[in-house]
Amino acid sequence: MDDRAALHIFVLTLQCNQGCTYCQASSRDKHAESCTMSKEVLKRSVEFMFQSPAHVLTMEFQGGEPSLHPELVRYGIEVAENLRKQQSRDIRYVLCTNCVDVNDDLLSLCKEFNVLISTSLDGPEWLHNRNRGKADSYQKVVAGIKKAREVLGNNAVSALQTTSVMALDHPIGIVDEYVRMGFHDMFLRALNPYGLAANNDDWSQYTDRFVEFYKKAFEHILELNRQGISFVEDFATIILRKILTPFDSGFVDLQSPAGIVNSVLVYNYDGNVYTSDEGRMLAEHGDYTFCLGNVFDQYEDIVYGPKVQQLAQVWSAETLAGCFDCAWRPYCGADPVRNHSTQGDVYGFRPSSLLCRKNKTIITYLVSLIIERYDEVMPIFKNWLQ
Ligand code: SF4
């Protein structure tokens, strides 16, 4: 069955009410109204999504800050619901929001359509506020998470952590903040060299420091689990599922063929369609390499068009020098967008790829844990994979 493109990201607006130091979404001031999707483009984008053959669709609202335009969230869902009923398809909705402005109306919309909330929390109050560039951001986010949990239930609210340069020295405090906030899992996430984040420090040094940060945080998470606190690290779980089971979690960034186009399509506020959110972010800085066309074009011309055919030659790790004979290939993935943005060519060169270095080091670390500390870690990992 052709099950491609299950995840569809709708960038409703670039407007945002925060000013994060590491912003990867190329957000703009909240008054930048020209960077907001029209209803006409939104309707056409939803219709475009429904041409994807995937039986279960995920419609994800992103920005900028999509909660600044609740009318568009509602309209997008209403159009999708009509098509879903006509075509007997399954769909799940995700609202990616910083939770700063979640109000009763927005939450009742989420309740009505089972919309999951994906927010971001960077760690303790001082760190979160400094990353966000606002003195009261943490307070507002925590209040927003609490409110969303009350209306939607705990399981409907998840949070993503992003490891800024400032965060690298605080692995324990960041994990503890997630535990304190009542989360049962976290994704220890490195910065990506896209958007405004590309202006950050030396990426080679950042990568090595991130891996050290990851290991310290991970050891702390293992210790919490040994103490009886069930707490999951999501990136490791994605890799462990590949290593220890016959299944794959479908995580877009660790797939071969790559997740771009195969698992995800992105609709920008102006109707342009991109291979992935990272491809869209490059375009915000003038690089349209991964723009596939516009929602007013034919679906086939976009997802089977010449650009995708070219990318298909470099999106399988099995055919890439460096990857094809790498021991970790079954657990890793191909990423032509990252290769292009960091190395200037979609094929990439593994010996100097920082993404390869990070993946290789973390996979090696997880495998060494299984080999050297089997009795200690396997009960925890099995629990995570249930
Ligand atoms: S670890 Fe590096 S060489 Fe190995 S599959 Fe991943 S990207 Fe390719």
Side-chain angles (χ1 to χ4, degrees):
M1 182 173 67
D2 187 349
D3 204 29
R4 55 194 342 224
L7 172 62
H8 297 260
I9 296 174
F10 292 72
V11 180
L12 295 185
T13 181
L14 293 188
Q15 290 175 275
C16 190
N17 47 13
Q18 299 286 277
C20 306
T21 53
Y22 56 71
C23 182
Q24 297 175 25
S26 305
S27 298
R28 309 270 168 85
D29 180 85
K30 73 174 177 181
H31 303 294
E33 272 153 32
S34 59
C35 301
T36 297
M37 199 178 262
S38 68
K39 283 193 171 175
E40 185 194 12
V41 168
L42 177 53
K43 181 169 184 285
R44 178 64 194 157
S45 303
V46 177
E47 289 164 354
F48 196 96
M49 169 177 73
F50 270 85
Q51 292 181 70
S52 159
H55 180 69
V56 183
L57 300 166
T58 297
M59 184 176 184
E60 187 171 292
F61 298 101
Q62 267 197 30
E65 175 50 44
S67 72
L68 293 175
H69 288 279
E71 77 289 354
L72 289 181
V73 177
R74 176 173 282 283
Y75 182 69
I77 292 176
E78 283 171 355
V79 175
E81 281 296 292
N82 262 338
L83 291 168
R84 180 186 70 76
K85 285 173 194 156
Q86 283 170 24
Q87 298 185 14
S88 300
R89 307 271 287 269
D90 287 333
I91 186 163
R92 70 184 197 132
Y93 303 106
V94 179
L95 176 65
C96 297
T97 170
N98 56 34
C99 266
V100 165
D101 273 341
V102 287
N103 55 34
D104 293 341
D105 286 347
L106 186 68
L107 288 176
S108 69
L109 171 70
C110 293
K111 180 90 177 161
E112 188 180 342
F113 294 104
N114 295 321
V115 180
L116 303 172
I117 299 264
S118 173
T119 191
S120 44
L121 178 69
D122 291 344
E125 182 168 3
W126 70 268
L127 176 62
H128 185 93
N129 284 344
R130 283 180 68 180
N131 278 350
R132 305 280 149 166
K134 305 262 181 193
D136 59 353
S137 177
Y138 174 89
Q139 261 180 328
K140 287 184 173 170
V141 170
V142 167
I145 291 172
K146 188 165 172 274
K147 196 168 176 178
R149 281 173 169 168
E150 278 164 15
V151 177
L152 307 173
N154 282 1
N155 292 339
V157 185
S158 62
L160 270 179
Q161 174 264 351
T162 301
T163 312
S164 63
V165 174
M166 231 183 315
L168 290 167
D169 292 326
H170 305 279
I172 312 295
I174 291 169
V175 171
D176 285 347
E177 177 65 24
Y178 268 71
V179 175
R180 201 186 64 75
M181 279 294 298
F183 289 106
H184 298 292
D185 69 316
M186 73 183 299
F187 193 126
L188 293 166
R189 201 167 63 131
L191 281 176
N192 287 330
Y194 303 111
L196 298 181
N199 299 328
N200 280 327
D201 282 342
D202 177 329
W203 284 105
S204 176
Q205 190 192 55
Y206 173 86
T207 302
D208 292 339
R209 289 185 65 201
F210 174 79
V211 170
E212 285 315 303
F213 163 89
Y214 182 91
K215 288 181 183 172
K216 283 182 188 154
F218 195 82
E219 287 293 340
H220 185 54
I221 290 172
L222 288 178
E223 176 57 28
L224 291 173
N225 280 273
R226 278 192 297 270
Q227 291 171 14
I229 299 168
S230 181
F231 191 83
V232 178
E233 202 287 302
D234 295 326
F235 185 61
T237 306
I238 289 162
I239 295 167
L240 291 168
R241 193 172 303 284
K242 290 171 183 259
I243 297 174
L244 298 170
T245 82
F247 306 111
D248 192 289
S249 57
F251 177 60
V252 171
D253 293 355
L254 285 180
Q255 280 185 29
S256 177
I260 57 166
V261 186
N262 294 301
S263 297
V264 60
L265 283 172
V266 176
Y267 312 99
N268 203 16
Y269 67 92
D270 56 5
N272 281 345
V273 182
Y274 290 91
T275 52
S276 61
D277 206 31
E278 291 76 17
R280 195 267 310 171
M281 290 175 205
L282 288 173
E284 291 298 335
H285 292 262
D287 179 351
Y288 287 84
T289 305
F290 300 100
C291 179
L292 303 176
N294 195 275
V295 285
F296 292 97
D297 297 333
Q298 293 297 316
Y299 177 84
E300 290 75 15
D301 292 344
I302 287 195
V303 298
Y304 302 109
K307 237 182 201 180
V308 173
Q309 286 174 28
Q310 275 179 355
L311 285 171
Q313 312 208 0
V314 293
W315 71 21
S316 295
E318 290 76 2
T319 64
L320 297 177
C323 292
F324 84 92
D325 57 353
C326 171
W328 302 147
R329 176 173 48 76
Y331 320 129
C332 196
D335 194 339
V337 182
R338 179 70 74 95
N339 293 340
H340 171 83
S341 73
T342 59
Q343 301 188 307
D345 127 60
V346 286
Y347 190 91
F349 182 60
R350 260 47 66 191
S352 58
S353 161
L354 296 177
L355 181 64
C356 172
R357 195 199 295 175
K358 184 195 85 162
N359 287 350
K360 203 173 258 179
T361 315
I362 290 178
I363 298 170
T364 303
Y365 167 65
L366 294 172
V367 170
S368 72
L369 284 180
I370 295 171
I371 294 171
E372 291 160 17
R373 293 159 57 185
Y374 186 91
D375 291 340
E376 172 199 342
V377 299
M378 279 306 280
I380 297 169
F381 291 168
K382 282 182 185 167
N383 192 28
W384 291 2
L385 293 172
Q386 277 175 3

